[in-house]
């Protein structure tokens, strides 16, 4: 095991551009440059003001409602044990009750070891009354193995998957569709807070 290197890929001679960076090559000279920094050097870091923080509950509820309306409430949630997806689940639960929509369904990936959040995932789903489907990373290590499955996914994706754990999450999305969910809500990991989101790349491309 080693610390994650943001530049590494599965291939020895292929390197990944770090988040928020670009690559420029002019007359044989290659340069990696940063085009976005959440905390620019020499400038004070601007945190959310108290007034902005008070807006978060309203905005989060509004975001959940907007997406759930598109599916007439037939909603799934990728539920981890983190604050983000649990908060989304709580608002989705309230909205479903208020609007008479079906109870959202929870879909969870169980990681082994220190990343194990299964007890929290189950407790949240139970308390909110969500039917839950769980899948374990260990199940995807069997047969061809997790890495080969990730490479198989990469072969049919328009862009390489950002992480090796894509197969179990894609499996759960298939389960959600089978169970009648038209949309699937999710949070975003706190450790990715300072990375450039792929959604931003899509905005730039558009």
């Amino acid at each position: 095991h080693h610390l994650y290197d943001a530049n590494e890929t599965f291939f020895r001679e292929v390197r990944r551009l770090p988040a928020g960076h670009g690559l420029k090559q002019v007359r044989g000279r290659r340069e990696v440059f940063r085009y976005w920094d959440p905390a620019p050097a020499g400038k004070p870091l601007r945190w959310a003001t108290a007034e902005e923080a008070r807006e978060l509950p309203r905005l989060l509820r509004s975001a959940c409602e907007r997406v759930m309306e598109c599916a007439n409430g037939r909603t799934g949630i990728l539920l981890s044990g983190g604050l983000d997806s649990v908060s989304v689940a709580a608002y989705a639960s309230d909205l479903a009750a208020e609007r008479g929509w079906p109870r959202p369904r929870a879909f969870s990936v169980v990681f082994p070891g220190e990343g194990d959040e299964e007890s929290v995932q189950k407790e949240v789903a139970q308390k909110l009354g969500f039917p839950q489907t769980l899948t374990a990373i260990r199940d995807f290590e069997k047969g061809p193995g997790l890495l080969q499955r990730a490479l198989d996914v990469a072969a049919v994706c328009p862009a390489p998957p950002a992480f090796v754990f894509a197969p179990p999450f894609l499996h759960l999305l298939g389960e959600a569709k089978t169970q009648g969910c038209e949309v699937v809500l999710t949070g975003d990991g706190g450790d990715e807070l300072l990375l450039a989101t792929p959604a931003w790349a899509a905005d730039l491309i558009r």
Side-chain angles (χ1 to χ4, degrees), residues 105-167:
R105 293 178 171 271
F107 300 89
S108 304
V109 176
V110 177
F111 287 84
E114 293 181 5
D116 185 1
E117 299 176 325
E118 183 177 4
S119 60
V120 177
Q121 292 165 324
K122 287 182 175 179
E123 185 175 3
V124 170
Q126 182 179 11
K127 288 193 174 181
L128 293 177
F130 291 1
Q132 186 175 34
T133 301
L134 295 104
T135 190
I137 286 291
R138 294 194 186 281
D139 293 339
F140 288 80
E141 294 173 349
K142 301 171 184 175
L146 185 59
L147 176 57
Q148 184 58 56
R149 294 175 197 271
L151 292 173
D152 292 342
V153 168
V156 296
C157 282
F163 65 151
V164 73
F165 302 116

Side-chain angles (χ1 to χ4, degrees), residues 43-175:
K43 296 182 180 180
L45 187 62
R46 181 189 176 280
W47 293 101
T49 64
E51 182 179 349
E52 289 170 334
R54 284 193 292 271
E55 283 291 292
L56 178 61
R58 181 186 67 80
L59 293 172
L60 184 54
R61 176 189 166 93
S62 175
C64 291
E65 185 172 26
R66 184 171 63 249
V67 175
M68 293 176 73
E69 278 181 333
C70 295
N72 294 316
R74 291 187 290 274
T75 306
I77 297 178
L78 288 179
L79 181 65
S80 71
L83 178 63
D84 49 355
S85 66
V86 171
S87 300
V88 169
Y91 280 110
S93 176
D94 289 345
L95 287 164
E98 292 170 15
R99 303 286 290 271
W101 289 331
R103 301 301 296 171
R105 293 178 171 271
F107 300 89
S108 304
V109 176
V110 177
F111 287 84
E114 293 181 5
D116 185 1
E117 299 176 325
E118 183 177 4
S119 60
V120 177
Q121 292 165 324
K122 287 182 175 179
E123 185 175 3
V124 170
Q126 182 179 11
K127 288 193 174 181
L128 293 177
F130 291 1
Q132 186 175 34
T133 301
L134 295 104
T135 190
I137 286 291
R138 294 194 186 281
D139 293 339
F140 288 80
E141 294 173 349
K142 301 171 184 175
L146 185 59
L147 176 57
Q148 184 58 56
R149 294 175 197 271
L151 292 173
D152 292 342
V153 168
V156 296
C157 282
F163 65 151
V164 73
F165 302 116
F169 285 97
L170 291 174
H171 169 75
L172 283 181
L173 290 177
E175 285 290 315

